[in-house]
Coordinates of all heavy atoms in Angstrom, one line a residue:
A1 N 128.0 103.8 36.4 CA 126.8 103.3 37.0 C 126.2 104.3 38.0 O 125.0 104.5 38.1 CB 127.1 102.0 37.7
F2 N 127.1 105.0 38.8 CA 126.6 105.9 39.8 C 125.9 107.1 39.0 O 124.8 107.6 39.5 CB 127.8 106.4 40.6 CG 127.5 107.4 41.7 CD1 126.4 107.1 42.6 CD2 128.3 108.5 41.9 CE1 126.1 108.0 43.6 CE2 128.0 109.4 42.9 CZ 126.9 109.1 43.8
A3 N 126.5 107.6 37.9 CA 125.9 108.7 37.2 C 124.6 108.3 36.6 O 123.6 109.0 36.7 CB 126.9 109.1 36.1
R4 N 124.5 107.1 36.0 CA 123.2 106.6 35.5 C 122.1 106.5 36.5 O 121.0 106.9 36.4 CB 123.4 105.3 34.8 CG 124.3 105.3 33.5 CD 124.5 104.0 33.0 NE 125.5 104.0 31.9 CZ 125.2 104.1 30.6 NH1 123.9 104.2 30.2 NH2 126.1 104.1 29.7
E5 N 122.5 106.0 37.7 CA 121.6 105.8 38.8 C 121.0 107.1 39.3 O 119.9 107.3 39.7 CB 122.3 105.0 39.9 CG 121.4 104.9 41.2 CD 122.2 104.2 42.3 OE1 123.1 103.4 42.0 OE2 121.9 104.6 43.5
Q6 N 121.9 108.1 39.3 CA 121.5 109.4 39.9 C 121.1 110.5 38.9 O 120.8 111.6 39.2 CB 122.7 110.0 40.7 CG 123.2 109.1 41.8 CD 122.1 108.9 42.9 OE1 121.3 109.8 43.1 NE2 122.1 107.8 43.6
G7 N 121.1 110.1 37.6 CA 120.6 111.0 36.6 C 121.7 111.9 36.1 O 121.5 113.0 35.5
G8 N 123.0 111.5 36.2 CA 124.1 112.3 35.8 C 124.4 112.1 34.3 O 123.8 111.2 33.6
L9 N 125.4 112.8 33.8 CA 125.8 112.8 32.4 C 127.0 112.0 32.1 O 127.3 111.7 30.9 CB 126.0 114.2 31.9 CG 124.8 115.2 32.1 CD1 125.2 116.6 31.7 CD2 123.5 114.7 31.4
L10 N 127.9 111.7 33.1 CA 129.1 111.0 32.8 C 128.9 109.6 32.4 O 128.1 108.9 32.9 CB 130.0 111.0 34.1 CG 131.4 110.5 34.0 CD1 132.3 111.4 33.2 CD2 131.9 110.2 35.4
R11 N 129.7 109.2 31.4 CA 129.7 107.8 30.9 C 131.1 107.2 30.8 O 132.1 108.0 30.7 CB 129.0 107.7 29.5 CG 127.5 108.2 29.6 CD 126.7 107.2 30.4 NE 125.2 107.5 30.4 CZ 124.6 108.3 31.3 NH1 125.3 108.7 32.4 NH2 123.3 108.5 31.3
L12 N 131.2 105.9 30.6 CA 132.5 105.2 30.5 C 133.3 105.8 29.4 O 134.5 105.9 29.4 CB 132.2 103.7 30.4 CG 133.5 102.9 30.3 CD1 134.4 103.0 31.5 CD2 133.1 101.4 30.1
D13 N 132.6 106.1 28.2 CA 133.3 106.6 27.1 C 134.0 107.9 27.4 O 135.1 108.2 26.9 CB 132.4 106.8 25.9 CG 132.0 105.5 25.2 OD1 132.6 104.4 25.6 OD2 131.0 105.5 24.4
D14 N 133.4 108.7 28.2 CA 134.0 110.0 28.6 C 135.3 109.7 29.4 O 136.3 110.4 29.3 CB 133.0 110.8 29.5 CG 131.8 111.1 28.8 OD1 131.8 111.5 27.6 OD2 130.7 111.0 29.4
M15 N 135.2 108.8 30.3 CA 136.4 108.4 31.1 C 137.5 107.9 30.2 O 138.7 108.3 30.3 CB 136.1 107.4 32.2 CG 135.0 107.8 33.2 SD 135.7 109.0 34.4 CE 136.8 107.9 35.4
L16 N 137.2 107.1 29.2 CA 138.2 106.5 28.3 C 138.9 107.6 27.5 O 140.1 107.5 27.2 CB 137.5 105.5 27.4 CG 137.1 104.2 28.0 CD1 136.2 103.5 27.0 CD2 138.2 103.4 28.4
A17 N 138.2 108.7 27.2 CA 138.7 109.8 26.4 C 139.5 110.8 27.1 O 140.2 111.6 26.5 CB 137.6 110.5 25.6
Q18 N 139.5 110.8 28.5 CA 140.2 111.8 29.2 C 141.7 111.8 29.1 O 142.3 110.7 29.2 CB 139.8 111.7 30.7 CG 140.5 112.8 31.6 CD 140.1 114.2 31.3 OE1 139.0 114.5 30.8 NE2 141.0 115.1 31.6
R19 N 142.3 112.9 28.8 CA 143.8 113.0 28.7 C 144.3 114.2 29.5 O 143.5 115.2 29.8 CB 144.2 113.3 27.2 CG 143.8 112.1 26.3 CD 144.7 110.9 26.6 NE 144.3 109.8 25.7 CZ 143.4 108.8 25.9 NH1 142.8 108.9 27.0 NH2 143.2 107.9 25.0
A20 N 145.5 114.1 29.9 CA 146.3 115.3 30.4 C 147.3 115.8 29.4 O 148.0 114.9 28.8 CB 147.0 115.0 31.7
D21 N 147.3 117.0 29.1 CA 148.1 117.5 28.0 C 149.3 118.4 28.4 O 149.1 119.3 29.2 CB 147.2 118.4 27.1 CG 145.9 117.6 26.7 OD1 146.1 116.5 26.2 OD2 144.8 118.2 26.8
W22 N 150.4 118.1 27.9 CA 151.6 119.0 28.1 C 151.5 120.2 27.1 O 151.0 120.1 26.0 CB 152.9 118.2 27.7 CG 153.2 117.2 28.7 CD1 153.0 115.8 28.6 CD2 153.8 117.3 30.0 NE1 153.4 115.1 29.7 CE2 153.9 116.0 30.6 CE3 154.3 118.4 30.7 CZ2 154.5 115.8 31.8 CZ3 154.8 118.2 32.0 CH2 154.9 117.0 32.5
A23 N 151.9 121.4 27.6 CA 151.8 122.6 26.8 C 152.9 123.5 27.2 O 153.7 123.3 28.1 CB 150.4 123.3 27.1
R24 N 153.0 124.6 26.5 CA 154.0 125.6 26.8 C 153.3 126.7 27.7 O 152.2 127.1 27.4 CB 154.5 126.3 25.5 CG 155.2 125.3 24.6 CD 155.5 126.0 23.3 NE 156.6 127.0 23.4 CZ 157.0 127.8 22.4 NH1 156.4 127.7 21.2 NH2 157.9 128.7 22.6
P25 N 154.0 127.1 28.7 CA 153.4 128.2 29.6 C 153.4 129.5 28.8 O 154.0 129.7 27.8 CB 154.4 128.2 30.8 CG 155.7 127.7 30.2 CD 155.3 126.7 29.2
V26 N 152.7 130.4 29.4 CA 152.7 131.8 28.9 C 153.5 132.6 29.9 O 153.4 132.4 31.1 CB 151.2 132.4 28.8 CG1 151.2 133.8 28.3 CG2 150.4 131.5 27.9

């Protein structure tokens, strides 16, 4: 709602899709 009110791009679907990923270091 804050993003929509201020003209931002973030939406609830973006929040739902966010993940943290385990990986192998270099």
Side-chain angles (χ1 to χ4, degrees):
F2 185 45
R4 292 175 187 269
E5 176 186 329
Q6 300 298 329
L9 305 175
L10 184 72
R11 297 293 184 265
L12 180 59
D13 286 348
D14 301 315
M15 298 288 287
L16 291 168
Q18 178 64 26
R19 297 290 182 269
D21 305 312
W22 292 100
R24 298 173 69 185
V26 181

